[in-house]
Amino acid sequence: MHGDIYLIELESMKNSPIHNIDPRVKLISILFIILCSSLFNNLTMMAFFEVYLIISLLLSNLSLKMTILRILMILPFGIFIVLFQPFIRGETVIYSLFGIPVFLEGLNFGILLFAKFFVSITCIVLLSSTTPTFKVVEALKKLGLPAFMSMLLGLMIRYLYLIFENMQKLILSHKSRGQNHKKVSYKLQLKNIGNLIGTLFVKSYEQGERTYFAMLSRGYCENSNICDLNYKLSIYDIIYMIPIILIPILVLFYNITLF
C-alpha cells in the first residue's frame, strides 16, 4: 500500500500540460465539476464533463493501467448503492427479476447516480495524479484556508507515508515470529490485530511529539510565516477553465440533449 501511494506521488510530479496548470485552477475546476454534477440531474452535462476529464487524463502522460486500476478500486463502493435503486424506487414496473419488480424510475435514478459517482471519482483521480499533495495544500491556503489548518493538513498527508511504512514493518515482524493467520486461531488473530493497532498508535503519537519538538527547536510558533510557493495565472490556466464553465451554461440554457 505504501508503494502504491509512493507511485501515485511520483505520477503527480511528471511534466505535462495538465501537470503544469496552476494548482488553484485545478482545485477550483474539480470542485466546480463535482458541485455541478451533484446539483444538476443532467446526464448530458455529466457526459461532457467526463469526456473533458478523460481528455485531460490522456494529456497528462499518466500510466493508463494505474489510472484505470485506481478508478476501478473505488467504483465498487458506488455500484453497491446503485444496484439497489431499481428495486426500491419508483412505480412503473418494467421487469421482474426472480419475482422482484424492477422499476423504471429507480433504474433511471441508478444510472444518474452512477454517472455522478463516476465523474466525481475521475475528478479526484485527475487531481491527485497531476498535483503533488503539498501543492494541493498550498492551493487551499492561497484560496483562504487558515494557515494553521493548512499546516496540520500538510503534516497529516506527509506522515501518511510514514504510518503505512511503520504498519508494513509491524506486519512483517509479526509474520517473521510465526504469527501467520493460517497457523493461528481466530481468537489469536484478533489479539494480534489489536496489538498491531495499539503499537501503531503509540508509534504515531511518539512521532508526533518528536516532530513538534523538532519544529519548536527551529523557532516555530503560531505566528510563524511559512514560505509560500509563488503561483501566477497564465493564459493556459484560463484556457483550461473556459470549457469547464461553458459546459453547464451551454447544456442548461440551450437544452442540449444526447440521451
Side-chain angles (χ1 to χ4, degrees):
M1 188 178 293
H2 173 264
D4 294 339
I5 295 177
Y6 182 68
L7 288 175
I8 292 172
E9 193 70 9
L10 286 179
E11 287 278 290
S12 68
M13 294 181 181
K14 287 184 176 180
N15 186 23
S16 75
I18 306 301
H19 283 77
N20 296 331
I21 297 293
D22 191 310
R24 294 171 296 177
V25 172
K26 283 189 280 188
L27 186 59
I28 292 173
S29 302
I30 293 302
L31 293 176
F32 181 76
I33 292 175
I34 294 176
L35 182 63
C36 288
S37 299
S38 302
L39 292 178
F40 302 111
N41 297 326
N42 192 305
L43 279 175
T44 302
M45 183 189 300
M46 281 176 274
F48 279 120
F49 275 141
E50 187 62 31
V51 170
Y52 186 79
L53 292 169
I54 291 174
I55 293 173
S56 298
L57 285 170
L58 294 176
L59 292 175
S60 301
N61 194 27
L62 299 172
S63 169
L64 186 61
K65 179 181 178 181
M66 180 180 291
T67 303
I68 293 174
L69 285 176
R70 290 183 64 193
I71 294 175
L72 291 178
M73 284 176 63
I74 309 173
L75 270 183
F77 296 98
I79 293 176
F80 182 76
I81 299 173
V82 168
L83 289 177
F84 287 100
Q85 302 305 318
F87 304 102
I88 62 175
R89 181 186 294 267
E91 297 178 354
T92 307
V93 179
I94 58 172
Y95 189 73
S96 180
L97 184 65
F98 302 110
I100 304 174
V102 179
F103 299 104
L104 177 62
E105 293 83 0
L107 182 62
N108 291 334
F109 180 77
I111 294 173
L112 184 65
L113 193 63
F114 177 78
K116 291 174 181 283
F117 187 70
F118 194 77
V119 169
S120 299
I121 289 175
T122 311
C123 284
I124 301 302
V125 170
L126 175 64
L127 180 64
S128 60
S129 298
T130 60
T131 314
T133 50
F134 73 92
K135 287 188 177 181
V136 175
V137 174
E138 188 65 29
L140 287 170
K141 184 179 177 182
K142 292 282 187 180
L143 293 173
L145 186 71
F148 182 72
M149 291 183 64
S150 63
M151 186 270 295
L152 287 179
L153 182 60
L155 286 175
M156 181 189 73
I157 293 173
R158 284 181 174 88
Y159 279 97
L160 278 177
Y161 301 96
L162 186 60
I163 290 173
F164 282 125
E165 188 173 343
N166 285 334
M167 183 178 67
Q168 286 184 327
K169 288 180 179 178
L170 288 171
I171 293 174
L172 184 61
S173 67
H174 271 248
K175 287 184 177 180
S176 67
R177 290 171 175 80
Q179 302 296 330
N180 194 310
H181 67 89
K182 295 180 180 179
K183 300 179 181 179
V184 298
S185 64
Y186 181 73
K187 183 178 179 180
L188 188 56
Q189 289 180 41
L190 292 178
K191 182 180 178 180
N192 291 336
I193 292 173
N195 290 335
L196 283 173
I197 295 173
T199 306
L200 187 62
F201 176 80
V202 172
K203 283 181 173 289
S204 301
Y205 181 80
E206 292 175 347
Q207 180 64 53
E209 283 192 328
R210 289 196 297 269
T211 302
Y212 179 68
F213 289 133
M215 293 171 68
L216 287 180
S217 67
R218 289 164 175 80
Y220 172 79
C221 67
E222 61 181 26
N223 298 319
S224 297
N225 292 321
I226 300 175
C227 180
D228 294 333
L229 299 176
N230 293 321
Y231 296 123
K232 293 182 180 179
L233 288 177
S234 66
I235 186 65
Y236 299 105
D237 300 325
I238 298 173
I239 292 173
Y240 180 79
M241 283 198 69
I242 289 176
I244 296 173
I245 297 172
L246 287 180
I247 285 173
I249 294 175
L250 294 174
V251 171
L252 294 176
F253 286 92
Y254 291 95
N255 197 24
I256 301 175
T257 305
L258 298 178
F259 304 98

